């Protein structure tokens, strides 16, 4: 992960009519790493990916992918990238092997090499046994694996995965996580957008949080979680009055505020002594806190602390892609 970044964007802006989607996005992705872009509904994730993958032109800013300008040298960029969206782009009437061989031929591979490459990828993605079955008979997890394999036929330098596990069951999702991790292990750069924060936490070397068309934080998952707390003490208050009173005492300290559930969260090291000190400080009369719990901080905690809301699990509005 040295040298020029695999993906670099500076001052990226994009609007649709009078509606600004990106308001100056800066990104830098190291070669051979997994980078995850997180954000709530409408934050601009898919628009960002479309610009980086040369499908949409930015209104302003500089974009380089695989060492080439993504606006002026689109053809060179496209030769070096792969883009897999939320839904598999496969021919259901062809077999898995036929799909991969077709992608190889379309990518300019000689017939023999396209056949060899298809075999390599079917084995890598554990699809050899289903190679001669029609894709229409594949499970959702198998189709997703084949879709990613199709994007790797030309051995791209950068792979863009836009919500790759949407709609998959937990077992298929975990299996796909292993495949994504293996891509980076071979030197391929993976740019991942996801609605599952656990996915980014597990896979990404670095994470950027996008909100309101801007990057509000960037770093390693562990580093971002340390910014708010290694652990969090959640306090469930006895009622609205108790919530308001304790919230006042925790002004500037609380990293979670949920008045609907009457829950406040504060950073803690998790030790019994620190938890007791916090409880004594916020509820000296022992009449405000109904119950409490300590848990590890998550990327959702980070997002909530930095933006005031959780990352929504919905995809971006179609009008913004």
């Amino acid at each position: 992960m040295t040298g020029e970044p695999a993906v670099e964007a500076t001052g990226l802006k994009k609007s649709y009519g009078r509606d600004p989607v990106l308001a100056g996005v800066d990104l830098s992705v190291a070669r051979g790493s997994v980078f995850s872009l997180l954000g709530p509904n409408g934050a601009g994730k898919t628009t960002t990916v479309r610009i980086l993958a040369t499908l949409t032109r930015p209104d302003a800013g500089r974009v380089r992918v695989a060492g080439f300008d993504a606006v002026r040298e689109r053809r060179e960029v496209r030769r070096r990238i792969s883009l897999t969206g939320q839904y598999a782009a496969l021919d259901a009437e062809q077999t898995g092997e036929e799909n991969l061989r077709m992608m190889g031929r379309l990518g300019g591979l000689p017939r023999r090499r396209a056949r060899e490459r298809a075999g390599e990828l079917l084995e890598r993605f554990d699809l050899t046994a289903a190679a001669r079955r029609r894709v229409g008979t594949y499970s959702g997890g198998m189709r997703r694996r084949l879709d990613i394999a199709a994007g790797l036929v030309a051995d791209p330098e950068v792979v863009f995965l836009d919500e790759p596990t949407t709609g998959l069951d937990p077992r298929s999702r975990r299996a796909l996580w292993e495949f994504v991790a293996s891509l980076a292990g071979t030197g391929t750069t993976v740019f991942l957008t996801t609605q599952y924060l656990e996915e980014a936490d597990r896979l990404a070397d670095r994470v950027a949080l996008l909100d309101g068309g801007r990057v509000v934080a960037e770093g390693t998952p562990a580093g971002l979680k340390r910014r708010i707390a290694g652990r969090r003490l959640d306090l469930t208050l006895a009622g609205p009055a108790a919530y308001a009173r304790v919230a006042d005492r925790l002004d500037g300290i609380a990293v979670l505020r949920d008045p609907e559930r009457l829950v406040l969260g504060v950073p803690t090291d998790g030790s019994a002594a620190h938890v007791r000190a916090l409880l004594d400080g916020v509820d000296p009369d022992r009449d405000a806190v109904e119950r409490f719990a300590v848990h590890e901080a998550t990327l959702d905690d980070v997002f909530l602390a930095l933006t005031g809301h959780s990352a929504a699990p919905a995809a971006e509005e179609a009008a913004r892609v």
Side-chain angles (χ1 to χ4, degrees):
M1 293 187 286
T2 60
E4 182 181 15
V7 178
E8 188 172 29
T10 306
L12 201 59
K13 295 183 179 181
K14 183 67 180 179
S15 296
Y16 293 101
R18 296 183 178 179
D19 186 16
V21 180
L22 303 179
V25 170
D26 298 329
L27 294 172
S28 182
V29 181
R31 292 180 183 271
S33 69
V34 179
F35 183 93
S36 184
L37 186 65
L38 303 177
N41 182 35
K45 301 188 303 298
T46 296
T47 297
T48 300
V49 170
R50 288 180 63 85
I51 290 173
L52 297 176
T54 77
L55 298 179
T56 300
R57 287 178 176 265
D59 296 333
R62 177 175 174 269
V63 185
R64 292 184 66 79
V65 178
F68 295 90
D69 188 289
V71 175
R72 293 187 291 104
E73 300 171 292
R74 295 169 66 191
R75 182 171 296 182
E76 294 297 332
V77 171
R78 289 180 178 181
R79 287 175 178 170
R80 293 163 173 80
I81 68 170
S82 167
L83 171 61
T84 299
Q86 298 179 32
Y87 306 102
L90 302 166
D91 186 339
E93 296 303 313
Q94 292 194 79
T95 67
E97 182 181 22
E98 288 169 340
N99 268 274
L100 295 185
R101 289 171 64 180
M102 177 184 68
M103 292 302 297
R105 295 292 286 153
L106 290 173
L109 294 181
R111 189 180 304 277
R112 180 177 178 180
R113 180 55 187 150
R115 183 172 62 251
E116 291 173 348
R117 185 64 173 151
E120 292 168 3
L121 290 168
L122 287 166
E123 183 176 357
R124 180 176 178 184
F125 283 83
D126 195 23
L127 291 169
T128 302
R132 298 188 178 181
R133 281 172 45 194
R134 286 191 310 108
V135 170
T137 68
Y138 283 19
S139 67
M142 292 169 67
R143 288 172 66 94
R144 176 57 68 207
R145 293 188 340 247
L146 183 65
D147 195 28
I148 293 177
L152 298 176
V153 169
D155 199 17
E157 295 179 34
V158 182
V159 175
F160 292 97
L161 300 178
D162 190 16
E163 308 282 1
T165 59
T166 295
L168 295 186
D169 60 80
R171 181 179 179 181
S172 296
R173 187 175 302 132
R174 285 193 296 271
L176 192 56
W177 290 352
E178 295 177 7
F179 292 127
V180 171
S182 73
L183 288 178
T186 63
T188 303
T189 303
V190 179
F191 191 106
L192 170 72
T193 69
T194 178
Q195 60 181 279
Y196 302 107
L197 298 183
E198 180 191 1
E199 189 164 275
D201 203 352
R202 178 173 299 195
L203 293 174
D205 297 299
R206 293 186 68 81
V207 172
L209 305 182
L210 193 66
D211 190 41
R214 296 180 183 276
V215 174
V216 297
E218 183 180 345
T220 65
L224 289 173
K225 287 183 286 187
R226 282 196 300 269
R227 286 180 57 174
I228 61 162
R231 294 182 178 181
R232 194 183 74 198
L233 174 65
D234 284 354
L235 309 172
T236 301
L237 286 307
Y243 178 90
R245 186 167 70 252
V246 174
D248 233 19
R249 293 172 181 163
L250 294 175
D251 188 35
I253 301 173
V255 295
L256 168 65
R257 292 174 179 269
D258 188 340
E260 290 187 5
R261 294 191 301 128
L262 300 177
V263 174
L264 292 164
V266 294
T268 178
D269 62 13
S271 67
H274 192 238
V275 169
R276 175 49 58 196
L278 286 170
L279 291 171
D280 289 342
V282 301
D283 188 17
D285 298 324
R286 305 288 195 275
D287 60 357
V289 176
E290 190 171 86
R291 60 182 181 275
F292 63 90
V294 176
H295 73 86
E296 299 290 333
T298 66
L299 286 180
D300 199 34
D301 295 331
V302 175
F303 206 92
L304 185 62
L306 294 174
T307 69
H309 53 79
S310 295
E316 289 188 40
E317 300 168 19
R320 291 189 169 185
V321 302

